[in-house]
Amino acid sequence: MTSLISPEKELWFVTGSQHLYGPETLKEVDAHSKIIADALNSASDIPVKVVFKPVLTTSEAITQTALEANIDPNCIGLICWMHTFSPAKMWIGGLTTLKKPICHLHTQFNRDIPWATMDMDFMNLNQSAHGGREFGFMVSRLRINRKIIVGHWEDPEVVAELAQWSRVAAAWDDFKHLKVVRFGDNMRQVAVTEGDKVEAQIQFGMSVNSHGIGDLVEHIRAASAADVEALCDVYAQSYKMAPELLKGGARYASLQDAAAIELGLRSFMKEGGFHAFVDSFEDLHGLKQLPGLPAQRLMADGYGFGAEGDWKHSALTRAMKVMASGVDKGTSFMEDYTYHFSPKGMRCLGAHMLEICPSIADAQPTCEIHPLGIGGKEDPVRLVFNGKAGSAINASLVDMGNRFRLLINQVEAVEPEADLPKLPVARVLWDVKPSLKEGVACWIQAGGAHHTCFSYSVPVEAMVDFAEMANVESVVIDEQTTLPRLKETLRCNEVYYGIRAL
């Protein structure tokens, strides 16, 4: 899959100093800053350009840089470094103007103290240790969310942290411009898939608009027979095919119908500039089958998807796909489906009727066709597989009325304890952290949805960073979480967000 992060996107490397130290010192500051920016730009882990900006020494220059960053469509954030002491009152205008994410890189040019040669000239030049605190105070004083990374700029761990943050910044940039299309409405009478789409656009920037299923059907009907046959050939080359779906098989026409739906979806999405979509089994007028295989394959290519009209998790799936771009071990729309309450190990089986992304598969998926007891349409084609073992997260974005809440739960996916010969859907089995009983109770207490976004590649820290960029609440359930502590956290958050809304 091609990268979901444009190589034209940029992080600006911004260095703070002042004129107190004289022009020669500022020349050294500028040179050091360029060396660091160039090194980060050449780091293969960082998927965007790191662009050196001349050292900032005045309020006017800082504010001008912030204004330029705001209007540059390729700038997705600023990496800020204080080489010397940069009086933070100079930063007020720029920081209050800036609309892009900030990463405060608290580093210094030299890795070690030069014990035998260090003098006051060296000390005046290399003041990051307290210059960064001056900058940090002002960002905190202004109540601005930012990422703080501490360590030497050549340290691989620091570079890895910057790389992860850069992917989150790219996802946030994508999210602010994301267009989600709803084919029909959400599943009737369901609460958690509802939400304030106007508030979502105000908070996140993404737009969520609906189109009648007939608009999609026109694109499906426009798919040529030759293109349908070519896509069926792709299916046959990519998956283990059920014999009845092979060319000449009894159900080959159903595979052709699935291919036409996929071609129609791709055409519609491209024409409208959409990168996420939802459908509902209650609104399929004009479709022969519920899009199973097509939704799975579009997700594998980076599109967001949500079932039953769940636009929030469609958008979140897209965001997590972007965050994992280039390093993805598997990211998918997901649903907690059923529990295994065995005393030997309590676990959750995640699945959905059809639409789980094959990026999480432990082996080549099987393309099959089976009846579906809901929707009232022909049997849908789908990919069937087990999810692989490994550490992962489940994330849920819910509308709490006065705010959005991003809920993140650590899980450990495991191999199924036995075969599931009569369950013809994609599925993954996982241990919930800190335990199924405690973790699920915490999830329910926090109002987490039954739909989630599941990923082996996006860590908890990245999701928290994303929530801070969006300025929304995040709640983490991990090994250390207990229900009493979570309740206390939720109560405190209720007060904080209630006051913030005033």
Side-chain angles (χ1 to χ4, degrees):
M1 185 180 74
T2 57
S3 176
L4 303 178
I5 301 174
S6 168
E8 298 304 312
K9 296 298 181 180
E10 300 175 350
L11 291 172
W12 290 6
F13 193 85
V14 174
T15 305
S17 188
Q18 59 176 317
H19 286 286
L20 177 66
Y21 311 109
E24 293 305 315
T25 296
L26 287 178
K27 285 181 182 178
E28 287 193 74
V29 170
D30 199 73
H32 290 173
S33 179
K34 191 173 190 309
I35 289 170
I36 296 175
D38 288 347
L40 296 177
N41 185 52
S42 64
S44 59
D45 290 347
I46 298 178
V48 299
K49 299 176 183 177
V50 178
V51 178
F52 164 78
K53 292 292 176 178
V55 174
L56 302 175
T57 57
T58 67
S59 299
E60 293 76 14
I62 293 169
T63 301
Q64 183 61 34
T65 298
L67 291 169
E68 291 171 1
N70 287 344
I71 64 174
D72 192 319
N74 285 327
C75 177
I76 62 171
L78 270 59
I79 302 172
C80 295
W81 174 46
M82 302 303 113
H83 190 317
T84 62
F85 194 82
S86 181
K89 287 166 67 174
M90 295 194 308
W91 287 84
I92 293 173
L95 289 172
T96 54
T97 300
L98 186 64
K99 303 298 182 184
K100 299 293 176 78
I102 299 171
C103 175
H104 179 185
L105 178 58
H106 191 54
T107 189
Q108 62 189 25
F109 184 71
N110 57 298
R111 192 193 69 176
D112 303 327
I113 293 175
W115 303 101
T117 61
M118 185 167 64
D119 55 19
M120 284 309 300
D121 288 338
F122 182 92
M123 291 280 279
N124 284 333
L125 175 62
N126 298 280
Q127 299 186 52
S128 299
H130 68 285
R133 285 167 168 79
E134 170 75 357
F135 177 77
F137 162 75
M138 186 51 67
V139 183
S140 295
R141 174 68 176 78
L142 294 171
R143 273 67 172 180
I144 296 173
N145 294 333
R146 80 285 201 186
K147 178 72 172 179
I148 302 171
I149 297 177
V150 180
H152 193 254
W153 54 276
E154 291 181 304
D155 185 339
E157 289 186 6
V158 169
V159 175
E161 288 183 75
L162 278 168
Q164 178 179 289
W165 183 80
S166 70
R167 287 191 290 270
V168 178
W172 173 235
D173 178 73
D174 182 83
F175 209 66
K176 288 186 293 182
H177 305 96
L178 179 63
K179 294 175 66 177
V180 183
V181 59
R182 301 167 65 233
F183 295 115
D185 206 344
N186 68 305
M187 182 178 172
R188 301 178 193 112
Q189 304 297 329
V190 177
V192 77
T193 54
E194 292 280 8
D196 189 334
K197 296 185 289 296
V198 174
E199 186 60 30
Q201 189 160 354
I202 293 170
Q203 185 75 49
F204 302 115
M206 66 177 180
S207 64
V208 183
N209 292 293
S210 63
H211 280 258
I213 198 73
D215 294 342
L216 173 60
V217 169
E218 289 183 8
H219 283 258
I220 295 171
R221 289 174 177 167
S224 70
D227 287 342
V228 167
E229 287 304 313
L231 186 52
C232 286
D233 289 341
V234 171
Y235 297 159
Q237 295 164 10
S238 303
Y239 315 114
K240 299 175 183 176
M241 302 297 295
E244 62 269 27
L245 291 175
L246 292 171
K247 194 169 293 187
R251 309 301 300 276
Y252 183 65
S254 294
L255 187 71
Q256 292 174 307
D257 292 337
I261 292 172
E262 179 177 336
L263 290 168
L265 270 168
R266 290 185 183 276
S267 171
F268 186 97
M269 301 286 280
K270 182 178 181 180
E271 181 179 285
F274 299 105
H275 287 100
F277 71 104
V278 301
D279 60 22
S280 173
F281 64 87
E282 291 180 329
D283 195 348
L284 297 174
H285 184 71
L287 295 185
K288 290 187 177 182
Q289 57 182 264
L290 180 63
L293 175 62
Q296 291 177 295
R297 283 177 50 83
L298 263 71
M299 266 193 287
D301 284 344
Y303 286 94
F305 172 79
E308 292 105 47
D310 192 346
W311 54 269
K312 295 187 295 298
H313 288 91
S314 174
L316 188 60
T317 300
R318 166 66 182 186
M320 292 172 67
K321 289 281 188 180
V322 176
M323 280 185 237
S325 184
V327 296
D328 197 13
K329 294 178 286 187
T331 299
S332 178
F333 171 77
M334 186 57 68
E335 180 172 88
D336 290 43
Y337 229 96
T338 192
Y339 296 129
H340 184 57
F341 277 134
S342 169
K344 296 180 181 179
M346 298 184 184
R347 289 168 171 163
C348 179
L349 184 72
H352 205 257
M353 296 179 296
L354 304 171
E355 310 98 341
I356 300 298
C357 181
S359 66
I360 73 168
D362 70 343
Q364 186 183 36
T366 301
C367 188
E368 303 179 14
I369 183 169
H370 300 276
L372 187 67
I374 58 175
K377 293 292 181 178
E378 296 178 10
D379 300 344
V381 179
R382 80 291 300 268
L383 299 177
V384 178
F385 54 84
N386 290 324
K388 53 195 154 193
S391 297
I393 65 165
N394 267 316
S396 176
L397 182 65
V398 291
D399 185 344
M400 298 303 294
N402 66 338
R403 65 190 184 277
F404 288 96
R405 172 179 288 164
L406 181 60
L407 191 61
I408 311 119
N409 184 201
Q410 286 185 330
V411 300
E412 185 70 26
V414 298
E415 294 182 5
E417 298 181 14
D419 291 335
L420 294 160
K422 295 186 178 182
L423 185 66
V425 297
R427 60 270 172 151
V428 58
L429 183 69
W430 65 73
D431 292 328
V432 178
K433 303 297 182 182
S435 66
L436 188 138
K437 292 181 68 173
E438 190 85 358
V440 170
C442 288
W443 186 274
I444 292 172
Q445 183 70 42
H450 59 284
H451 289 160
T452 65
C453 303
F454 175 92
S455 180
Y456 294 101
S457 299
V458 181
V460 170
E461 182 182 14
M463 297 303 296
V464 173
D465 288 343
F466 184 80
E468 292 191 347
M469 288 180 189
N471 203 23
V472 298
E473 178 187 17
S474 62
V475 176
V476 175
I477 302 171
D478 58 17
E479 287 278 16
Q480 285 73 47
T481 304
T482 65
L483 186 57
R485 285 168 54 191
L486 183 90
K487 285 183 177 180
E488 188 62 29
T489 296
L490 295 176
R491 291 189 189 103
C492 291
N493 287 1
E494 200 69 52
V495 173
Y496 169 79
Y497 285 97
I499 292 173
R500 197 181 74 167
L502 296 176

